[in-house]
Amino acid sequence: MQKMISLTTFSDEILPKFNHELVGRLRDLDTEKALKESMIYSVEAGGKRMRPLLIFVICQMFNHEIDNGVYSVAGALELIHTYSLIHDDLPAMDNDDLRRGKPTNHIVYGESMAILAGDALNTLAFEWIGRSDVVGDAQKVALMSRLAQLAGPEGMVGGQVADIEGEHQVLSLTQLKRVHKRKTGDLIEFAVYAGGILGNATTEQQAELIQYGRQFGLAFQIYDDIMDVVGTSEEMGKAVHKDNQENKNTYPGLIGLDQSYDTLRNVIDQAKVAIQNLKKTGLETGYLEELLHYFKLKN
Amino acid sequence: MQKMISLTTFSDEILPKFNHELVGRLRDLDTEKALKESMIYSVEAGGKRMRPLLIFVICQMFNHEIDNGVYSVAGALELIHTYSLIHDDLPAMDNDDLRRGKPTNHIVYGESMAILAGDALNTLAFEWIGRSDVVGDAQKVALMSRLAQLAGPEGMVGGQVADIEGEHQVLSLTQLKRVHKRKTGDLIEFAVYAGGILGNATTEQQAELIQYGRQFGLAFQIYDDIMDVVGTSEEMGKAVHKDNQENKNTYPGLIGLDQSYDTLRNVIDQAKVAIQNLKKTGLETGYLEELLHYFKLKN
């Protein structure tokens, strides 16, 4: 087997191309200039592109070319993620003026445009998957249905409602897990699901990918909560120590920092079990392992 | 050919069943109670179900059973229409407290829930089409892609932006048509498109259906503008004489009442041409004709 380039090199190669394609497609839309600018502003505001990267890594693992069809699906996922951030930041929601150091969408374009830009991105995601010319119809239907389910009332939007409702009460750990699972985990689960569908994973491989994705999503949220306590703004690229001020339910808040690290370690171990099982089916799982290095286990 | 029941009888039979199915599916969602109630509230707030009715009428015309698959597609369209109304009414948008005589969604459930209920309905629409078990994959992909296009930035949402931008300037008739085409016409166009797809219309029939739908959508908007001037609140089920107060661009405002009626008559005549062409292909077009009686040509 050919020696693989590192995940960093892989991601440094692919993400700029993906970003270019993403913004290019938005620029080509035949719609009002202000709407387009508002959509592009938030999509370009960037972030780590963690969800698209998961799709790319899994396609690579199945030797599936990262073509326009893969970009359509990864792009759709990023559109949904972006719309959710725009709406989350609205005055009636979290009322945030800054995201990743930049003024939020409604600060720049006004509240009505921010609502409509979010709506437009949400809908456009489904068009991108539907119109991709290199993905089969059965795959498209599976991808669009699953994305709608994981992003909709039973998924991300429901998690968002549960999160808001939970702000004024202390949740149990089970409740907190369920909020996070839907609010953050479900779009990450879509990423691994989509990678598997695009790469023609077997049923067994698909199940392990989902298992990996769920653990990854959970680790992502626990780590985010931990870093809000121990991290610096610089490391995190956003304000820290906010959760406590805002009475958010968090892992450190509910079970303390040490046990949060223990839980994180445990979750990562479970992700590693899924990786081992994928390896046994003959896949090169190096990138999935490297992705777990994102979580720094200091203790 | 069997004598058809009147459109009123047909619609009185089918719409209650449809409404029951629509609300039942929402009740079955596994999500937060408050979110579900907020979604159901606005879907039940009702309206004429004009868009679903168009789908049912066309399916009937093609002798396609009005089954669960048809309900999924018509329901999806109604979800999208409902989400657009919820977001339109928000304080940052039209800031309406009442719709069809009932308090608007954000008045009852608060602004953040109204935003999220709209988001959830938007996304759920695509899940309903995707998961329907009696529609083929190719049809689903066509339906979902077209719905996303007609409801998204190049369609309804773009029209909404154009409408807001137009409020502080006088539009040309061409500009006004383009705003209406997208803001109101595009979802009506989806209804006739979906009817044709579900009924397996030929390419020729599909083109005539679209032509009918476009004229119907245009007539719908011109008539709405006219009735805002000449109608009573009772007839319209909403406040009248609002457009003028709000500096909205309307047909009567731009070309006067008489010429608005002339334009409406002209548009209806074009819809009738499409009906004649459909009739020539052997279809029973009675309901499409009856639907045009909605527009009362008083002059």
Side-chain angles (χ1 to χ4, degrees), chain A residues 29-32 34 83 87 92-93 112 116 119 122-123 127 130-131 137-138 145 148-149 153-154 157-158 162 165 182, chain B residues 29-32 34 83 87 92-93 112 116 119 122-123 127 130-131 137-138 145 148-149 153-154 157-158 162 165 182:
Chain A
L29 284 174
D30 176 22
T31 188
E32 270 52 38
Y83 114 72
H87 282 189
M93 309 278 283
S112 61
L116 291 167
D119 292 344
N122 187 1
T123 307
E127 191 182 342
R131 290 194 181 276
D137 281 346
S145 309
Q149 190 183 33
E154 300 189 325
V157 175
E165 287 182 341
R182 291 183 296 160
Chain B
L29 285 174
D30 177 21
T31 188
E32 272 52 37
Y83 115 71
H87 282 189
M93 308 278 283
S112 61
L116 291 166
D119 291 345
N122 187 2
T123 308
E127 191 182 344
R131 290 196 181 276
D137 280 346
S145 307
Q149 190 183 33
E154 298 189 326
V157 175
E165 287 183 340
R182 291 183 296 160

Side-chain angles (χ1 to χ4, degrees), chain B:
Chain B
M1 200 174 288
Q2 190 190 340
K3 178 87 186 81
M4 286 196 326
I5 57 177
S6 77
L7 178 62
T8 314
T9 311
F10 174 74
S11 117
D12 285 350
E13 264 179 25
I14 198 111
L15 290 187
K17 281 189 221 163
F18 172 65
N19 288 333
H20 182 78
E21 176 72 20
L22 196 56
V23 173
R25 289 191 191 188
L26 293 173
R27 280 202 204 293
D28 287 345
L29 285 174
D30 177 21
T31 188
E32 272 52 37
K33 193 164 164 279
L35 176 63
K36 215 195 285 200
E37 280 176 9
S38 161
M39 292 164 77
I40 292 174
Y41 176 80
S42 288
V43 167
E44 278 194 322
K48 299 177 285 287
R49 309 287 191 219
M50 178 71 86
R51 294 156 193 80
L53 185 60
L54 267 170
I55 298 184
F56 301 145
V57 157
I58 296 172
C59 284
Q60 175 80 0
M61 199 165 80
F62 284 96
N63 293 313
H64 180 83
E65 195 195 340
I66 298 169
D67 54 18
N68 264 322
V70 176
Y71 279 162
S72 294
V73 178
L77 179 53
E78 200 65 8
L79 296 186
I80 296 269
H81 176 55
T82 305
Y83 115 71
S84 78
L85 300 181
I86 296 175
H87 282 189
D88 265 22
D89 290 335
L90 285 169
M93 308 278 283
D94 283 354
N95 194 21
D96 276 320
D97 291 354
L98 286 176
R99 175 172 292 275
R100 298 179 192 125
K102 291 177 72 178
T104 46
N105 196 293
H106 64 273
I107 295 293
V108 181
Y109 297 94
E111 218 177 313
S112 61
M113 192 62 82
I115 294 169
L116 291 166
D119 291 345
L121 291 167
N122 187 2
T123 308
L124 186 62
F126 294 94
E127 191 182 344
W128 277 13
I129 300 180
R131 290 196 181 276
S132 158
D133 52 5
V134 284
V135 179
D137 280 346
Q139 283 178 313
K140 283 181 188 175
V141 170
L143 289 165
M144 287 195 268
S145 307
R146 193 89 185 109
L147 179 59
Q149 190 183 33
L150 290 169
E154 298 189 326
M156 184 184 71
V157 175
Q160 178 66 18
V161 171
D163 193 34
I164 293 172
E165 287 183 340
E167 270 170 36
H168 306 288
Q169 46 184 296
V170 177
L171 299 183
S172 71
L173 198 60
T174 311
Q175 286 173 315
L176 180 63
K177 259 192 191 168
R178 188 166 143 76
V179 170
H180 284 162
K181 196 258 165 211
R182 291 183 296 160
K183 196 183 159 168
T184 313
D186 278 356
L187 287 197
I188 293 177
E189 180 171 330
F190 177 76
V192 294
Y193 174 83
I197 290 284
L198 291 163
N200 286 313
T202 64
T203 312
E204 186 199 346
Q205 288 169 332
Q206 188 64 290
E208 297 296 342
L209 284 171
I210 300 288
Q211 170 67 0
Y212 174 85
R214 287 191 178 154
Q215 301 307 321
F216 188 92
L218 188 52
F220 194 78
Q221 192 58 54
I222 299 171
Y223 189 67
D224 200 61
D225 283 1
I226 291 176
M227 290 311 280
D228 187 77
V229 178
V230 307
T232 64
S233 289
E234 208 178 330
E235 282 175 313
M236 297 300 285
K238 64 178 179 185
V240 291
H241 312 313
K242 271 190 70 182
D243 294 342
N244 201 15
Q245 287 161 32
E246 292 173 358
N247 289 315
K248 293 250 177 197
N249 286 283
T250 66
Y251 279 85
L254 285 184
I255 57 174
L257 201 54
D258 284 350
Q259 241 194 291
S260 298
Y261 269 116
D262 284 347
T263 309
L264 177 58
R265 211 171 280 117
N266 194 359
V267 167
I268 290 175
D269 285 344
Q270 288 184 54
K272 286 181 181 165
V273 173
I275 292 178
Q276 286 314 310
N277 291 337
L278 285 164
K279 210 171 201 167
K280 283 182 205 152
T281 70
L283 295 169
E284 169 53 71
T285 55
Y287 289 164
L288 293 186
E289 282 160 49
E290 274 194 73
L291 277 168
L292 297 178
H293 299 166
Y294 171 78
F295 310 109
K296 288 176 195 68
L297 293 162
K298 289 197 190 182
N299 268 18

